[in-house]
């Protein structure tokens, strides 16, 4: 009898979840990012410049500045980040015998950052509800007032997206993931909606939230807006936020593009501190990605991939939304953007050995 009761309860819970998902279907739009968007929504020219054996052979043909066809300012062009590998030859001990190869470096799209106000909503997976519908997790797009009383809150899901590898391009630089997988959902992370828990999870947040630390971020905001974030000021958020501390989904930034970008960057920093995201830049990262708890923001670039993608550009971490964020969402239909994260990847393309 007890087992029958358990089955009944489980069936009722499942039915409730399905009905809740159906009721919320209108709040979870479907994207095309896993279908036609794989080709049309990706800035393929953003892979360049290409670096081979420490020498930049193919630069990026994008213009340095100016405006696009709609009159909006153009974002910065991709460049080789500071600290990129400069060796002519690399040796990796990843098997019974060491392998010898040539260092290759380029920008690669590797992860999708999906922002949403509806818990459990996945536009990436076609507008499905995963079943996390607790009101406790609801987001808000409240616009902060002049005294910063109001805040915005959003959830983020990340997916591996090795689209270059899936197309069998640059297979010598295979990333950690070779297919599309769900990597993270903020709804089940106790730190994402609780600043106190986040502070204990990363004590550096105490320093990053201090007045002195935030005052130092003014220089980073200017530099990041020009496409060059200052890596030594790792707690700063460029022009997206005064500081990335604490690593939660709450943000005081103005506008959807700014606060969603700020929280995406916070998640990147949090995952770097946790060791989930590892550095792929430098001579010591040619054979294996390295743990670097203080994220280096110049190693990453971002591209709005949906609903209105940056088809021919991407932008630096913390770069002003005035240069890239205009008219990127559809009010009332697709109000929360999906970002494609680009990572500079140095790797050892073996020519002798495995």
């Amino acid at each position: 009898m007890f087992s029958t009761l358990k089955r009944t309860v489980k069936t009722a819970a499942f039915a409730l979840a399905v009905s809740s998902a159906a009721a919320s279907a209108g709040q979870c739009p479907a994207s095309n990012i896993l279908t036609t968007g794989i080709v049309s929504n990706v800035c393929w020219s953003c892979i360049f410049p290409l670096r081979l054996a420490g020498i930049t052979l193919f630069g990026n043909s994008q213009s340095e500045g100016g405006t696009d066809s709609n009159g909006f300012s153009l974002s910065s062009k991709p460049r080789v980040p500071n600290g990129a590998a400069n060796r002519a030859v690399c040796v990796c001990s990843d098997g019974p015998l060491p392998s010898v190869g040539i260092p290759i470096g380029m920008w690669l799209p590797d992860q999708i950052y999906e922002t949403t106000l509806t818990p459990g909503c996945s536009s990436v997976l076609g507008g499905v509800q995963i079943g996390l519908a607790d009101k406790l997790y609801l987001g808000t797009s409240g616009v902060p007032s002049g005294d910063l009383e109001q805040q915005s809150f959003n959830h983020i899901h990340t997916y591996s997206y090795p689209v270059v590898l899936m197309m069998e391009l640059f297979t010598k630089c295979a990333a950690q993931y070779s297919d599309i997988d769900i990597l993270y959902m903020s709804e089940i992370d106790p730190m994402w909606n609780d600043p106190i828990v986040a502070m204990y999870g990363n004590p550096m947040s105490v320093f990053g939230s201090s007045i002195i630390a935030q005052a130092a971020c003014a220089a980073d905001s200017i530099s990041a807006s020009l496409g060059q974030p200052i890596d030594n000021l790792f707690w700063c958020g460029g022009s997206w936020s005064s500081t990335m501390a604490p690593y939660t989904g709450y943000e005081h930034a103005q506008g959807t593009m700014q606060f969603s970008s700020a929280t995406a960057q916070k998640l990147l920093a949090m995952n770097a501190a946790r060791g989930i995201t590892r550095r792929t830049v430098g001579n010591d990262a040619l054979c294996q990605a390295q743990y670097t708890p203080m994220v280096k923001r110049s190693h990453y670039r971002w591209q709005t991939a949906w609903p209105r993608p940056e088809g021919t550009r991407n932008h630096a971490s913390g770069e002003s939304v005035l240069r890239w964020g205009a008219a990127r969402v559809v009010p009332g239909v697709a109000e929360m953007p999906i970002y494609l994260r680009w990572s500079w990847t140095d790797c050892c393309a073996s020519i002798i050995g495995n």
Side-chain angles (χ1 to χ4, degrees):
M1 180 177 179
F2 180 68
S3 60
T4 302
L5 179 60
K6 286 176 63 178
R7 287 196 299 270
T8 302
V9 171
K10 289 181 179 179
T11 302
F14 176 77
L16 180 60
V18 171
S19 63
S20 297
S24 303
Q27 304 174 18
C28 191
S31 73
N32 66 339
I33 199 166
L34 297 185
T35 53
T36 57
I38 289 182
V39 176
S40 62
N41 293 19
V42 177
C43 172
W44 293 104
S45 64
C46 295
I47 291 177
F48 301 101
L50 181 66
R51 195 171 175 87
L52 182 66
I55 302 174
T56 303
L57 297 180
F58 301 98
N60 193 293
S61 60
Q62 296 179 4
S63 58
E64 286 288 349
T67 58
D68 62 15
S69 58
N70 296 317
F72 295 119
S73 177
L74 291 174
S75 57
S76 62
K77 63 184 294 184
R79 294 179 175 83
V80 178
N82 294 330
N86 56 10
R87 292 178 180 172
V89 179
C90 51
V91 179
C92 296
S93 301
D94 53 359
L97 295 174
S99 60
V100 180
I102 299 176
I104 297 178
M106 72 198 82
W107 289 102
L108 292 178
D110 59 354
Q111 286 192 20
I112 293 173
Y113 279 56
E114 172 185 52
T115 64
T116 180
L117 301 179
T118 305
C121 166
S122 177
S123 296
V124 169
L125 299 180
V128 302
Q129 279 280 2
I130 301 176
L132 302 173
D134 194 324
K135 293 183 179 180
L136 175 65
Y137 300 121
L138 287 176
T140 173
S141 58
V143 178
S145 56
D147 54 3
L148 300 180
E149 289 181 351
Q150 298 184 35
Q151 298 183 88
S152 299
F153 176 80
N154 66 282
H155 289 289
I156 294 182
H157 312 141
T158 62
Y159 306 79
S160 62
Y161 195 66
V163 61
V164 173
L165 180 61
M166 290 164 56
M167 293 185 176
E168 298 186 356
L169 302 173
F170 304 109
T171 54
K172 292 289 187 180
C173 292
Q176 183 178 359
Y177 299 95
S178 58
D179 53 11
I180 298 173
D181 290 310
I182 299 177
L183 303 180
Y184 173 88
M185 296 189 69
S186 61
E187 291 91 339
I188 59 177
D189 186 347
M191 293 186 183
W192 192 250
N193 65 348
D194 193 324
I196 303 300
V197 176
M199 181 187 69
Y200 284 107
N202 181 28
M204 184 57 68
S205 297
V206 177
F207 169 75
S209 300
S210 65
I211 296 178
I212 296 177
Q214 293 189 45
C217 291
D220 177 67
S221 178
I222 297 173
S223 185
S225 293
L226 299 176
Q228 298 291 330
I230 303 175
D231 286 333
N232 289 336
L233 302 179
F234 58 86
W235 62 89
C236 298
S239 67
W240 296 346
S241 61
S242 58
T243 178
M244 289 198 288
Y247 299 151
T248 68
Y250 294 99
E251 188 51 59
H252 287 296
Q254 297 274 1
T256 299
M257 303 307 295
Q258 187 175 351
F259 83 73
S260 61
S261 295
T263 50
Q265 188 173 231
K266 283 183 177 183
L267 179 59
L268 171 65
M270 181 175 69
N271 283 341
R274 290 173 169 176
I276 298 174
T277 298
R278 303 206 169 196
R279 175 171 52 85
T280 57
V281 178
N283 291 324
D284 60 340
L286 284 168
C287 301
Q288 185 177 5
Q290 300 296 311
Y291 173 58
T292 305
M294 308 310 176
V295 66
K296 293 183 178 296
R297 289 171 293 130
S298 67
H299 296 176
Y300 303 92
R301 293 180 66 85
W302 305 83
Q303 177 195 346
T304 308
W306 184 84
R308 291 176 174 167
E310 298 172 81
T312 58
R313 310 282 290 202
N314 60 19
H315 53 275
S317 299
E319 187 169 346
S320 174
V321 296
L322 297 177
R323 302 190 67 179
W324 58 268
R328 293 297 176 191
V329 295
V330 183
V333 178
E335 297 185 340
M336 295 300 293
I338 296 174
Y339 298 106
L340 181 58
R341 192 191 78 184
W342 292 72
S343 304
W344 179 268
T345 303
D346 285 321
C347 69
C348 185
S350 61
I351 54 176
I352 301 176
N354 294 329

